[in-house]
């Protein structure tokens, strides 16, 4: 029986920020007989943070943190996490007679470097959606649930707001990650999925190496299946998904009716124009500029981005590699050359300048990773030195009390003798 192996073969990671349409994508994929896909799992995030040992009723958090930092190497820790994840994934495969398991968990952008080390051969789907539509979806869903979502204040807040992180750092980080074409990466656009669902699902099946199964995109036809029951039982994801039988285009441009001009202007200024162009949403950016009467700078608002990054780091202790790109198996140009020959190469595949830039980016990422490891090693060394110095200081204080202790003991013994042995 097929299994997810230690390299990640058999595992599909659907990567996006929340409100991008991942529930819709997953409910279509799970209708395939060879694919197991359910709602958000999130458990890999819990694994990567396991060593942080949050406060527990039975105590011992400092001991647990010390155990992981002093006695468990990074390699052993990752191996243990991989083994745990494989038990989960393969349990799903065996229980459902499937060949592939799809882990759809928004906010996996939190740990892209770790995912690449854990499962370098996993398939990765990059789900894209117009950023303005993502922001509008947040506002719509939170309004429906009675929670409320103020886009402007969340972007300006002095306190951490994860929705603001999703809409900025998460979005930018995923676009950096998928900037270089890769054999194990596939781009899926929400707008194309709802416009031509069968065509897009066929492309997904081809990417995964499975044959398309008729009607799998019509998720309403499979709502009574056992896999659908498991999918909806999680109670997370898009709350409006079950109200439709198949994909629709109602949400493609509804940002213009949900967001106001102040929200659009603030968000576009923070995000910058470049990311819209890179994602293929230049037309939507132009609409926003015409509506607000503002032409947006190419780069993101660095002050806001740095503030959000600092807030996130303070809350999580997470330090990301800047401009990190997908690692693992060879780039798609190499795989394409082997499979189809030079006649099928695109201009970007053969441009030596672009190839050199891609190599430079990968080497820079590797150098940053090495620097980060050295920095962590130096910090740990300094921490242990301080701890050792503190222990020596305590020992010296104890020793200084020993002569005085001997004097007290001698005085007590003498007093006991004078009193005839009575204490």
């Amino acid at each position: 029986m097929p299994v997810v192996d230690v390299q990640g073969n058999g595992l599909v990671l659907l990567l996006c920020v929340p409100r991008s349409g991942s529930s819709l994508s997953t409910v279509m994929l799970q209708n395939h007989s060879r694919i197991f896909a359910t709602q958000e799992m999130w458990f890999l995030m819990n694994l990567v943070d396991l060593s942080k040992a949050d406060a527990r009723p039975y105590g011992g958090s400092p001991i647990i943190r010390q155990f992981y930092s002093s006695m468990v190497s990074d390699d052993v820790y990752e191996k243990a996490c991989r083994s745990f994840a494989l038990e989960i994934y393969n349990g799903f495969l065996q229980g459902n007679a499937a060949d592939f398991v799809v882990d759809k968990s928004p906010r996996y952008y939190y740990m892209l470097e770790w995912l690449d080390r854990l499962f370098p051969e996993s398939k990765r789907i990059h789900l894209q959606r117009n950023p303005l539509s993502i922001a509008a979806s947040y506002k719509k869903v939170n309004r429906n649930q009675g929670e409320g979502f103020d886009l402007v204040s969340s972007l300006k807040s002095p306190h951490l707001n994860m929705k603001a992180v999703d809409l900025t750092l998460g979005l930018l980080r995923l676009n950096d990650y998928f900037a270089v074409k890769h054999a194990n990466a596939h781009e899926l656009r929400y707008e194309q999925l709802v416009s031509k669902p069968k065509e897009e699902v066929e492309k997904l099946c081809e990417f995964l190496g499975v044959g398309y199964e008729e009607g799998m995109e019509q998720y309403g036809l499979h709502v009574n299946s056992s896999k659908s029951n498991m999918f909806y039982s999680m109670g997370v994801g898009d709350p409006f998904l079950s109200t439709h039988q198949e994909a629709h285009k109602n949400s493609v441009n509804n940002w213009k009716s949900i967001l106001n001009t102040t929200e659009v202007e603030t968000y576009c200024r923070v995000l910058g124009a470049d990311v819209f162009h890179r994602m293929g949403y230049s037309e939507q950016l132009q609409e926003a500029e015409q509506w607000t009467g503002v032409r947006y700078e190419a780069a993101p608002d660095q002050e806001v981005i740095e503030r959000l990054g600092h807030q996130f780091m303070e809350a999580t202790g997470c330090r990301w590699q800047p401009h990190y790109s997908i690692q693992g198996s060879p780039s798609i140009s190499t795989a394409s050359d082997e499979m189809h020959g030079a006649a099928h190469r695109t201009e970007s595949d053969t441009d030596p300048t672009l190839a050199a830039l891609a190599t430079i980016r990968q080497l820079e990422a590797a150098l940053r990773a090495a620097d980060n490891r050295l920095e962590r090693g130096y910090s740990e060394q300094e921490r242990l030195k301080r701890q050792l110095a503190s222990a020596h200081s305590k020992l010296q204080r104890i020793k200084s009390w020993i002569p005085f202790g001997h004097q007290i003991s001698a005085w007590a013994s003498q007093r006991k003798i004078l009193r005839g042995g009575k204490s």
Side-chain angles (χ1 to χ4, degrees):
M1 175 177 287
V3 295
V4 178
D5 65 23
V6 294
Q7 293 296 310
N9 292 293
L11 173 63
V12 183
L13 299 171
L14 200 162
L15 302 175
C16 61
V17 296
R19 316 308 321 154
S20 295
S22 57
S23 295
L24 177 64
S25 309
T26 310
V27 78
M28 292 180 180
L29 286 171
Q30 63 102 24
N31 290 328
H32 196 288
S33 61
R34 294 179 58 193
I35 298 174
F36 175 83
T38 188
Q39 277 286 15
E40 302 163 15
M41 300 184 196
W42 288 65
F43 79 98
L44 290 183
M45 297 182 72
N46 184 259
L47 284 182
V48 76
D49 283 338
L50 184 64
S51 61
K52 295 180 180 177
D54 296 332
R56 293 178 171 90
Y58 50 77
S61 295
I63 298 173
I64 296 172
R65 287 193 291 269
Q66 179 69 14
F67 168 77
Y68 281 117
S69 64
S70 300
M71 301 185 66
V72 182
S73 68
D74 289 344
D75 289 342
V76 170
Y77 184 77
E78 288 179 11
K79 185 178 180 181
C81 289
R82 184 182 298 109
S83 297
F84 181 91
L86 288 174
E87 287 294 325
I88 298 293
Y89 290 140
N90 287 317
F92 286 140
L93 289 182
Q94 293 163 12
N96 293 272
D99 298 337
F100 294 90
V101 59
V102 177
D103 188 345
K104 179 272 281 196
S105 298
R107 291 185 180 156
Y108 270 6
Y109 65 79
Y110 172 57
M111 51 183 193
L112 295 173
E113 297 91 339
W114 197 67
L115 289 177
D116 281 349
R117 294 197 302 272
L118 214 61
F119 296 115
E121 295 301 318
S122 60
K123 299 285 189 181
R124 279 148 280 187
I125 299 171
H126 183 201
L127 177 59
Q128 299 259 46
R129 188 180 186 183
N130 174 15
L132 291 167
S133 294
I134 296 174
S137 182
Y138 260 130
K139 185 176 180 179
K140 176 184 176 182
V141 169
N142 282 265
R143 184 172 58 196
N144 180 70
Q145 295 175 341
E147 298 176 2
F149 173 63
D150 190 319
L151 176 60
V152 175
S153 64
S154 68
L155 291 172
K156 295 181 177 180
S157 175
H159 308 291
L160 178 67
N161 184 303
M162 278 307 301
K163 295 181 179 67
V165 173
D166 295 335
L167 290 166
T168 54
L169 303 181
L171 199 68
L172 293 168
R173 190 155 200 260
L174 282 170
N175 275 276
D176 282 339
Y177 183 69
F178 287 103
V180 178
K181 289 185 178 182
H182 197 280
N184 283 347
H186 176 81
E187 183 179 285
L188 173 65
R189 288 182 190 275
Y190 171 83
E191 292 81 7
Q192 293 176 351
L193 181 64
V194 299
S195 299
K196 300 177 180 178
K198 181 178 179 179
E199 181 179 322
E200 292 303 314
V201 170
E202 286 177 342
K203 292 177 183 177
L204 278 174
C205 289
E206 182 181 0
F207 168 64
L208 297 179
V210 298
Y212 165 78
E213 294 182 351
E214 193 64 39
M216 58 183 292
E217 75 280 359
Q218 297 175 311
Y219 55 89
L221 299 178
H222 305 265
V223 72
N224 294 319
S225 69
S226 59
K227 287 201 292 186
S228 286
N229 290 337
M230 183 179 292
F231 179 89
Y232 289 109
S233 69
M234 287 288 290
V236 294
D238 186 352
F240 303 108
L241 183 64
S242 60
T243 63
H244 299 279
Q245 300 296 305
E246 58 186 358
H248 60 86
K249 297 186 284 186
N250 298 350
S251 299
V252 170
N253 287 311
N254 66 348
W255 60 272
K256 290 179 282 189
S257 61
I258 295 176
L259 301 178
N260 58 47
T261 54
T262 302
E263 291 170 324
V264 171
E265 180 178 345
T266 302
Y267 184 40
C268 288
R269 284 188 187 278
V270 169
L271 203 55
D274 270 352
V275 70
F276 283 90
H277 299 313
R278 288 169 62 189
M279 294 174 68
Y281 295 106
S282 299
E283 184 178 336
Q284 288 77 3
L285 177 67
Q286 186 177 12
E287 288 184 61
E289 289 179 336
Q290 291 174 348
W291 189 26
T292 60
V294 178
R295 185 169 182 83
Y296 301 107
E297 297 290 334
D301 186 324
Q302 204 58 38
E303 181 181 347
V304 175
I305 297 300
E306 288 179 0
R307 172 171 49 78
L308 290 169
H310 180 73
Q311 291 171 351
F312 189 71
M313 186 187 69
E314 286 290 308
T316 65
C318 177
R319 291 179 181 272
W320 291 328
Q321 294 183 35
H323 307 296
Y324 181 76
S325 60
I326 186 171
Q327 307 292 304
S329 60
S331 67
I332 197 168
S333 60
T334 303
S336 178
D337 290 348
E338 293 173 351
M339 294 172 61
H340 304 293
H344 292 268
R345 298 176 187 171
T346 63
E347 182 180 349
S348 61
D349 291 329
T350 57
D351 188 336
T353 303
L354 292 178
L357 287 173
T359 301
I360 289 170
R361 290 188 67 173
Q362 291 173 353
L363 291 173
E364 287 176 341
L367 181 60
R368 286 193 296 269
D371 287 341
N372 287 337
R373 287 194 296 270
L374 286 172
E375 182 181 350
R376 287 196 301 270
Y378 177 76
S379 299
E380 180 65 10
Q381 184 185 47
E382 291 300 308
R383 185 186 68 80
L384 291 173
K385 284 181 179 179
R386 290 194 297 271
Q387 192 173 353
L388 182 62
S390 176
H392 277 304
S393 177
K394 289 179 182 177
L395 180 61
Q396 292 302 320
R397 287 199 298 272
I398 292 170
K399 286 182 176 180
S400 69
W401 279 88
I402 290 175
F404 181 62
H406 288 164
Q407 292 174 9
I408 293 175
S409 178
W411 175 79
S413 298
Q414 186 180 16
R415 188 168 181 270
K416 187 175 181 180
I417 292 169
L418 292 173
R419 296 183 61 182
K422 298 179 180 180
S423 57

